[in-house]
Amino acid sequence: MSTASTRAHVFQIDPATKRNWIPAGKHALTVSYFYDATRNVYRIISIGGAKAIINSTVTPNMTFTKTSQKFGQWADSRANTVYGLGFASEQHLTQFAEKFQEVKEAARLAREKSQDGGELTSPALGLASHQVPPSPLVSANGPGEEKLFRSQSADAPGPTERERLKKMLSEGSVGEVQWEAEFFALQDSNNKLAGALREANAAAAQWRQQLEAQRAEAERLRQRVAELEAQAASEVTPTGEKEGLGQGQSLEQLEALVQTKDQEIQTLKSQTGGPREALEAAEREETQQKVQDLETRNAELEHQLRAMERSLEEARAERERARAEVGRAAQLLDVSLFELSELREGLARLAEAAP
């Protein structure tokens, strides 16, 4: 009996690498908690299409781990795999995790009760009758073909051709999934490069603002130097013959003052120019080079993205052609079966008419 249900994207760990996740489908599936009264156990069930994607028996030793705000996972030692669920919101993940703890506690109590009562559970028993079993496989040509297999007729050449076409169709689907994965990876890389390009543009704008501020400061210093030169020139005025030696001393003081001001001017100029301008120029060139490199990389990724899109379209077209070929083969098989049926009926009539 179902105790709780939710919808989530189902993943399984890659058995080869034990690191990457393999999605069970492109869309979210229904994931439910079931109580198996026959075996007195709790299960997590998720059915996709005609097969059970998840059929995990909850044990007291299991642990459901939240790896992010919307993703959680648990390991099933009996199935020798790790299941992962991606939810639409953090609230759904929290509710599923809380229900997992409740079911695990109920499984622990059921195990203790079973051990105390001396009851034995057989792992060969299946799910209870009220649970939803996986749907039976239906052949591509309807129930007539299924009856033919049950009669173990090996005369028709259709099954070999049909298996070959099914294999071609499955290979086309795997190739399409791989192309789509690479396509999404390129899109993600393109988005990252676009973000880096925006950051580089913002840094370049900041450098421009700092350069303008330094230029304004240099202009202000030039104006200050001009004011000091004008002030020094205005102080050097003739005071008349009455001053005598005092006038000569004043001229010497003014000349010393002018020299001091000149030295201050040279110091200010060396502070505003020289190494700082060279450093700023080098930093501007480096920023421009980075921007150019990012633009070049972005253009290459766009070219690769367009190539991947063309390859994806070709893979989809090949898949459609394979489907059409499967349909034609199915029609030919139906015709062959019909002719075989007529031939059997004719032979039967001949046998009955024979003395």
Side-chain angles (χ1 to χ4, degrees), residues 190-210:
N190 190 22
N191 293 333
K192 291 180 179 178
L193 287 175
L197 181 60
R198 287 192 295 269
E199 293 178 357
N201 290 333
Q206 185 178 3
W207 281 112
R208 292 191 190 98
Q209 292 177 357
Q210 293 180 359

Side-chain angles (χ1 to χ4, degrees), residues 140-142 145 148 156-169 320-338:
N141 296 322
E145 183 179 339
L148 178 62
T160 303
E161 182 68 16
R162 185 176 64 258
E163 292 297 331
R164 185 180 68 83
L165 294 177
K166 286 183 177 180
K167 182 179 179 181
M168 291 172 56
L169 184 59
E320 293 299 328
R321 287 194 294 270
R323 286 181 176 175
E325 189 175 353
V326 170
R328 289 193 297 270
Q331 293 177 358
L332 292 176
L333 182 60
D334 289 339
V335 172
S336 299
L337 292 175
F338 180 73

Side-chain angles (χ1 to χ4, degrees), residues 56-341:
S56 178
T57 301
V58 180
T59 63
N61 298 328
M62 285 186 177
T63 301
F64 184 81
T65 305
K66 297 180 182 179
T67 57
S68 67
Q69 292 183 350
K70 298 181 182 180
F71 192 88
Q73 65 184 44
W74 77 95
D76 190 342
S77 58
R78 294 185 179 181
N80 193 22
T81 187
V82 180
Y83 296 104
L85 298 179
F87 296 86
S89 65
E90 185 177 1
Q91 181 181 3
H92 292 164
L93 173 60
T94 303
Q95 292 176 353
F96 187 89
E98 293 175 352
K99 189 65 178 178
F100 190 95
Q101 291 298 121
E102 295 177 4
V103 171
K104 187 173 73 169
E105 181 65 19
R108 185 185 64 81
L109 295 176
R111 174 178 292 184
E112 293 177 355
K113 181 178 179 181
S114 176
Q115 292 175 353
D116 294 338
E119 297 177 1
L120 297 177
T121 58
S122 173
L125 294 178
L127 293 176
S129 60
H130 54 263
Q131 296 188 18
V132 181
S135 301
L137 294 175
V138 181
S139 62
N141 296 322
E145 183 179 339
E146 185 178 1
K147 293 178 180 179
L148 178 62
F149 284 125
R150 290 178 179 176
S151 63
Q152 296 182 354
S153 175
D155 298 333
T160 303
E161 182 68 16
R162 185 176 64 258
E163 292 297 331
R164 185 180 68 83
L165 294 177
K166 286 183 177 180
K167 182 179 179 181
M168 291 172 56
L169 184 59
S170 63
E171 290 177 353
S173 301
V174 173
E176 182 180 353
V177 171
Q178 292 176 350
W179 284 116
E180 287 182 351
E182 294 181 4
F183 173 74
F184 290 137
L186 283 175
Q187 275 189 339
D188 184 56
S189 179
N190 190 22
N191 293 333
K192 291 180 179 178
L193 287 175
L197 181 60
R198 287 192 295 269
E199 293 178 357
N201 290 333
Q206 185 178 3
W207 281 112
R208 292 191 190 98
Q209 292 177 357
Q210 293 180 359
L211 180 60
E212 292 297 331
Q214 291 174 358
R215 287 178 178 174
E217 181 67 17
E219 184 64 26
R220 187 184 66 81
L221 291 174
R222 291 192 187 96
Q223 293 178 359
R224 178 60 178 167
V225 168
E227 292 176 357
L228 291 174
E229 290 177 349
Q231 183 179 359
S234 64
E235 291 178 355
V236 184
T237 56
T239 58
E241 296 178 356
K242 295 181 180 179
E243 295 182 355
L245 294 174
Q247 184 178 7
Q249 294 177 354
S250 298
L251 289 174
E252 292 177 355
Q253 293 176 356
L254 289 173
E255 289 177 356
L257 180 61
V258 169
Q259 291 178 357
T260 303
K261 296 299 181 183
D262 288 338
Q263 292 177 357
E264 293 179 357
I265 291 170
Q266 294 298 330
T267 303
L268 291 173
K269 286 183 177 180
S270 63
Q271 290 179 355
T272 57
R276 180 179 296 178
E277 293 180 354
L279 180 60
E280 292 174 356
E283 290 177 348
R284 287 196 301 271
E285 291 179 359
E286 184 180 357
T287 302
Q288 292 176 356
Q289 183 64 32
K290 288 182 180 179
V291 171
Q292 291 177 359
D293 294 341
L294 288 173
E295 290 176 350
T296 303
R297 179 59 179 167
N298 192 18
E300 292 177 356
L301 287 176
E302 288 179 353
H303 179 71
Q304 293 179 3
L305 182 61
R306 287 192 293 270
M308 294 298 293
E309 289 176 349
R310 289 194 297 270
S311 300
L312 182 60
E313 291 298 330
E314 292 175 358
R316 288 178 177 173
E318 183 66 23
R319 182 180 178 182
E320 293 299 328
R321 287 194 294 270
R323 286 181 176 175
E325 189 175 353
V326 170
R328 289 193 297 270
Q331 293 177 358
L332 292 176
L333 182 60
D334 289 339
V335 172
S336 299
L337 292 175
F338 180 73
E339 293 177 354
L340 181 61
S341 177

Side-chain angles (χ1 to χ4, degrees), residues 1-3 32-36 41-45 131-132:
M1 125 182 109
S2 175
T3 60
S32 304
Y33 287 97
F34 277 85
Y35 174 64
D36 187 351
V41 295
Y42 289 85
R43 296 179 182 271
I44 300 176
I45 302 292
Q131 296 188 18
V132 181

